[in-house]
Amino acid sequence: MTELLKLQDVRMYFRVRKGFFRSVDVKAVDGVSISLKRGETLALVGESGSGKTTLARVSLRLLKPTSGRVLFDGKDITETPEKELRWFRRRAQAIFQDPYSSLDPFMTVRQLVEEPLILHKIGSTSDERLELVIRALEDVKLTPAEEFLGKYPHMLSGGQRQRVGIARALILRPEYIAADEPVSMIDASSRAEILYLMRELQEKHDIAFLYITHDIATARHFSDKLAVMHLGKIVEFSEPVEVVENPLHPYTQALIDAVPEPDPANRFRERRSVMGEPLSPANPPSGCNFHPRCPYAMEKCSKQTPPLIEIKQGHYVACHLYPGE
Amino acid sequence: MGQSNLLSIDGLRLYYRSARGVVRAVDNVSLTMRVGEVLGVVGESGCGKSSLANAIIKFLPPNTALYEGSVVIDGVDVVRLDEDEVRRRIRWRVVSMVFQGAMNILNPVIRVGFQVAEPLMVHAGASREEAFRAAREVMRRVGLSDDVFNRYPHELSGGMKQRIVIATALIMNPKLVILDEPTSALDVSIQAQIMNMLKRLKRELGLSMIFITHDIALASDISDRIAVMYAGEVVEVGSAEQVLLSPRHPYTQKLIAATPRLRGPKPDFVPGQPPDLTSPPSGCRFHPRCPYVMEKCRSSEPPSIAIEDGWSVKCWLYAGEAG
Ligand SMILES: Nc1ncnc2c1ncn2[C@@H]1O[C@H](COP(=O)(O)OP(=O)(O)OP(=O)(O)O)[C@@H](O)[C@H]1O
Ligand SMILES: Nc1ncnc2c1ncn2[C@@H]1O[C@H](COP(=O)(O)OP(=O)(O)OP(=O)(O)O)[C@@H](O)[C@H]1O
Ligand code: SF4
Ligand SMILES: [Mg+2]
Ligand SMILES: [Mg+2]
């Protein structure tokens, strides 16, 4: 089966000034390869600062990577200048985390959802566009659509605003959508509804999704593949059930232990959690960059970077605890 | 039971004036808390959790339309006190609060240790030395090392800032601390660390807390008892075991089923929207979203029905079980 999106050994370094004469490279993404087939969801899970958003921005070619390749539908778009990316801009879309700030407060739902059509010169008449807008609103279950057309973002709930964001992404019938923490600002109890909706639309329109989240529990239920990211690198990759039932990387294990389930016995025990604070990509530790926080760190860990290797069928991990063959 | 009540809330109402009409944010809430207990308050965004917290410390916005009922804490009814007395007698020293998003409003130009010490100087007339000593001590309690004292907020991570805010709430040894979504902006691992720290405070100091969150799984991490709010009302309250293991109210059942679990079935969700609190539905406020709705639910408001001692549910399904 052919891959729709392919990132090969992508690095994204940001040069930031430190004082007058010095500058440092923030290694936001440091050698990541992922691929996505049509109709497939890849969940990208990791803490704040692990590089998830940066990777998504590279995948959308909103950033040009420092090195590595970005391929979409077989075409290498790593260096393609913006003016030659119009076709790609239409076929790849984004959904953002914050339904409060990502929508212009002075535009109505109709204008918000119609805007991408105008930008891409789709639909020759206003009536034609209105029909597409209504269909997109129905797709995201903002029904009856006529009732929502004239509303402004502040008149909508968080979940409804996020649906408007999805409708905006969907109206161009994209093949790839990068959804960056699409439900983290929404109530815990309403998250599943939006995720089911995205899943349904994906099946209906055969869309490939990159689902970015720090919540490994939703990733488990709403993705086909799951990649765990730590400080710019993918440290574990497999099918979601496999990752959750059989986590190999100590970081993945810690992420899993940190998730509470509704259990009254929780209050009598402390949760295991990764030691200390997330580390900085401006000055990443040597070797395995997780080693200062790892309960199993060995001498080797601070010296050599473990490669991402396949430990068993389809299950990859980058950790010296699993030396491989 | 032996233990005395720390807090008794009865018939508490807090309404706001708005362009669309009167917002019934807290509507006839009654709750009690014992000393040393952690009460979790859960419910969807906009159901009135923060308003309930504000009502408990009589922190009322200018557009308050109605504030009535009683909030008896430490033998004093906060509702009857005037603003000056609340400030002198209640806030910080009896009840303190970690406001939702408070870590983002730390003063950027004041050293954090000073911010922790401030309430002691302002409200208890402590000397600078005394206040600083107490601040260092309470900062240690919440897991901050001594060198943090002289730093500025921008030099701290989110988790450390949240610890500062919690330290400030503890500085006057209050009897009750209200924490409004104290971890929702943090990474899961930092969240787990803060929760562990709160559990230690509970264990070591016997600290009583009200823990507010939209995430019932998170509430289960610390709460002895859980109150579920819907549309300004408490629809179910009981021990963590009762509410989490055998939830009775259809809304509680939905909330629990909606929690994504690592293991186990796919999560469910509560379909539809919570109501506009300027015109809540007649009868049971949950009836438009309830899978078990009956004729009666649409027309008359269900009473609070006691299932067992300390466990009550506001739902017509249990009308036959009273007693
Ligand atoms: N334009 C930029 N210039 C400098 N540093 C940057 C830039 N964009 C991102 N970074 C840094 O790169 C690292 C990764 O950031 P990124 O936003 O990709 O992480 P993330 O995993 O999305 O985190 P979060 O969960 O907080 O959204 C961070 O340390 C961030 O500060
Ligand atoms: N000062 C105010 N004036 C008018 N309406 C208000 C005011 N403060 C809150 N509200 C409204 O009162 C209702 C309850 O709000 P509240 O902030 O108490 O809910 P919450 O449960 O804390 O929500 P969240 O989970 O989003 O923090 C909401 O409809 C809100 O819009
Ligand atoms: S009173 Fe009726 S509508 Fe309300 S929760 Fe109970 S069954 Fe549902
Ligand atoms: Mg991000
Ligand atoms: Mg609130």
Side-chain angles (χ1 to χ4, degrees):
Chain A
M1 216 164 124
T2 60
E3 260 111 29
L4 179 65
L5 174 76
K6 214 170 160 68
L7 303 188
Q8 292 173 334
D9 200 23
V10 163
R11 273 162 233 274
M12 187 72 235
Y13 294 178
F14 297 106
R15 176 140 300 181
V16 290
R17 292 185 73 132
K18 271 249 162 139
F20 276 113
F21 304 107
R22 257 175 9 105
S23 63
V24 290
D25 279 340
V26 175
K27 298 177 177 174
V29 173
D30 200 11
V32 167
S33 301
I34 54 169
S35 62
L36 255 178
K37 299 191 181 89
R38 282 177 201 281
E40 187 180 61
T41 298
L42 169 68
L44 194 60
V45 183
E47 281 170 299
S48 185
S50 55
K52 307 179 296 295
T53 297
T54 305
L55 189 64
R57 289 168 58 82
V58 171
S59 79
L60 291 166
R61 260 308 319 277
L62 298 171
L63 288 170
K64 197 183 285 184
T66 312
S67 70
R69 318 277 352 142
V70 182
L71 286 86
F72 188 82
D73 201 10
K75 289 180 233 5
D76 188 329
I77 55 169
T78 320
E79 309 281 343
T80 313
E82 186 58 40
K83 60 181 190 304
E84 289 164 36
L85 276 178
R86 279 198 81 80
W87 62 274
F88 174 70
R89 293 274 166 253
R90 188 171 160 179
R91 291 168 66 182
Q93 291 292 316
I95 297 170
F96 299 101
Q97 167 173 11
D98 186 353
Y100 301 87
S101 65
S102 59
L103 300 178
D104 183 335
F106 299 112
M107 285 169 80
T108 62
V109 168
R110 175 178 177 175
Q111 291 168 326
L112 285 164
V113 179
E114 191 179 19
E115 189 180 46
L117 294 177
I118 296 172
L119 282 173
H120 286 271
K121 303 190 173 65
I122 298 167
S124 42
T125 66
S126 164
D127 280 354
E128 215 172 292
R129 287 194 299 270
L130 180 60
E131 202 170 300
L132 292 172
V133 168
I134 288 174
R135 213 182 306 149
L137 292 178
E138 280 166 357
D139 259 351
V140 298
K141 310 221 160 60
L142 286 174
T143 48
E146 288 75 10
E147 253 177 46
F148 286 92
L149 289 171
K151 289 197 172 169
Y152 289 90
H154 76 266
M155 301 159 101
L156 307 174
S157 73
Q160 290 173 335
R161 284 185 251 217
Q162 199 52 288
R163 286 164 200 263
V164 173
I166 298 172
R168 261 162 77 87
L170 215 66
I171 196 154
L172 295 173
R173 292 270 167 270
E175 292 145 73
Y176 166 58
I177 295 181
D180 192 356
E181 310 243 22
V183 295
S184 62
M185 304 282 279
I186 296 176
D187 271 340
S189 55
S190 320
R191 285 178 190 161
E193 191 176 12
I194 297 283
L195 293 168
Y196 279 117
L197 174 69
M198 284 170 41
R199 215 55 181 150
E200 186 190 314
L201 295 171
Q202 161 171 57
E203 270 161 36
K204 190 165 152 198
H205 303 299
D206 211 21
I207 303 165
F209 265 100
L210 182 64
Y211 170 45
I212 293 179
T213 178
H214 51 247
D215 176 14
I216 196 164
T218 55
R220 146 80 175 82
H221 292 288
F222 297 95
S223 66
D224 306 298
K225 302 258 175 63
L226 196 161
V228 178
M229 203 166 170
H230 179 261
L231 220 55
K233 294 180 192 293
I234 287 178
V235 297
E236 185 154 4
F237 172 79
S238 191
E239 298 196 344
V241 183
E242 170 68 12
V243 173
V244 167
E245 307 271 314
N246 202 1
L248 297 176
H249 200 284
Y251 178 64
T252 313
Q253 291 167 0
L255 282 182
I256 287 173
D257 287 339
V259 179
E261 308 234 324
D263 177 354
N266 286 340
R267 68 187 193 274
F268 303 116
R269 54 184 180 234
E270 295 201 354
R271 269 195 265 159
R272 284 214 293 150
S273 75
V274 201
M275 292 168 290
E277 301 272 341
L279 304 157
S280 162
N283 145 35
S286 59
C288 166
N289 63 24
F290 184 61
H291 84 260
R293 304 171 78 190
C294 181
Y296 311 109
M298 307 166 288
E299 225 194 295
K300 189 179 184 182
C301 302
S302 58
K303 303 205 169 92
Q304 285 170 38
T305 306
L308 187 67
I309 51 175
E310 191 169 10
I311 293 296
K312 48 181 177 166
Q313 174 77 52
H315 193 155
Y316 297 75
V317 67
C319 169
H320 289 307
L321 292 170
Y322 311 94
E325 265 28 57
Chain B
M1 300 269 132
Q3 283 159 296
S4 51
N5 275 350
L6 168 73
L7 173 72
S8 311
I9 300 174
D10 195 40
L12 186 61
R13 288 193 162 85
L14 175 56
Y15 293 0
Y16 306 117
R17 274 187 300 275
S18 83
R20 282 173 301 116
V22 172
V23 182
R24 294 153 76 166
V26 178
D27 216 0
N28 196 15
V29 167
S30 301
L31 286 169
T32 57
M33 259 184 90
R34 295 216 168 87
V35 173
E37 196 169 75
V38 175
L39 173 71
V41 175
V42 302
E44 279 163 290
S45 180
C47 71
K49 304 180 296 296
S50 298
S51 298
L52 174 62
N54 291 335
I56 292 172
I57 56 165
K58 197 167 181 174
F59 187 66
L60 310 175
N63 62 332
T64 299
L66 175 71
Y67 177 59
E68 65 169 36
S70 66
V71 178
V72 177
I73 179 149
D74 207 27
V76 181
D77 184 355
V78 176
V79 176
R80 306 239 124 60
L81 296 182
D82 64 38
E83 170 62 26
D84 192 50
E85 285 175 307
V86 175
R87 211 179 303 136
R88 273 188 302 117
R89 294 171 58 184
I90 304 294
R91 284 187 212 135
W92 298 104
R93 59 181 77 233
V94 179
V95 188
S96 65
M97 179 134 145
V98 170
F99 288 91
Q100 191 167 7
M103 62 184 235
N104 302 319
I105 51 173
L106 282 170
N107 191 324
V109 297
I110 297 180
R111 296 181 194 278
V112 291
F114 193 90
Q115 298 191 49
V116 174
E118 195 175 76
L120 263 188
M121 294 184 275
V122 175
H123 303 285
S127 71
R128 213 179 149 94
E129 289 67 40
E130 280 174 295
F132 280 17
R133 198 176 330 112
R136 284 185 196 280
E137 155 120 25
V138 74
M139 284 170 65
R140 223 169 295 139
R141 276 228 175 268
V142 300
L144 292 167
S145 58
D146 266 351
D147 63 295
V148 175
F149 191 93
N150 280 318
R151 292 205 222 158
Y152 291 96
H154 75 267
E155 299 173 305
L156 304 182
S157 66
M160 289 160 95
K161 277 191 261 186
Q162 195 54 265
R163 285 173 200 263
I164 288 292
V165 173
I166 294 169
T168 312
L170 294 175
I171 188 93
M172 291 187 70
N173 274 317
K175 299 206 157 73
L176 172 66
V177 178
I178 303 175
L179 301 132
D180 193 355
E181 302 274 8
T183 65
S184 36
L186 304 170
D187 267 320
V188 284
S189 58
I190 306 302
Q191 182 184 74
Q193 291 167 14
I194 299 261
M195 294 309 288
N196 287 343
M197 184 267 285
L198 291 174
K199 284 181 208 182
R200 262 172 255 150
L201 291 176
K202 177 188 175 193
R203 211 174 49 231
E204 291 165 11
L205 306 179
L207 189 66
S208 310
M209 297 180 252
I210 295 180
F211 186 89
I212 296 175
T213 174
H214 62 90
D215 181 350
I216 197 165
L218 186 64
S220 83
D221 209 22
I222 188 140
S223 309
D224 301 305
R225 291 168 51 74
I226 292 179
V228 179
M229 280 190 84
Y230 185 77
E233 304 177 326
V234 170
V235 296
E236 179 160 7
V237 59
S239 70
E241 283 74 11
Q242 290 162 339
V243 172
L244 296 167
L245 300 180
S246 34
R248 293 295 165 89
H249 198 283
Y251 180 62
T252 315
Q253 293 170 354
K254 283 279 184 187
L255 269 188
I256 293 172
T259 308
R261 293 167 192 249
L262 277 166
R263 301 168 191 90
K266 269 190 189 292
D268 193 1
F269 54 86
V270 199
Q273 299 295 324
D276 178 350
L277 295 182
T278 56
S279 52
S282 60
C284 169
R285 292 188 181 177
F286 188 58
H287 88 253
R289 301 170 82 184
C290 181
Y292 309 110
V293 56
M294 304 167 288
E295 208 34 59
K296 196 180 189 174
C297 308
R298 296 182 223 275
S299 54
S300 41
E301 180 184 335
S304 235
I305 296 159
I307 303 285
E308 283 171 17
D309 194 24
W311 183 12
S312 63
V313 180
K314 196 174 161 63
C315 166
W316 281 120
L317 290 172
Y318 306 95
E321 287 184 33

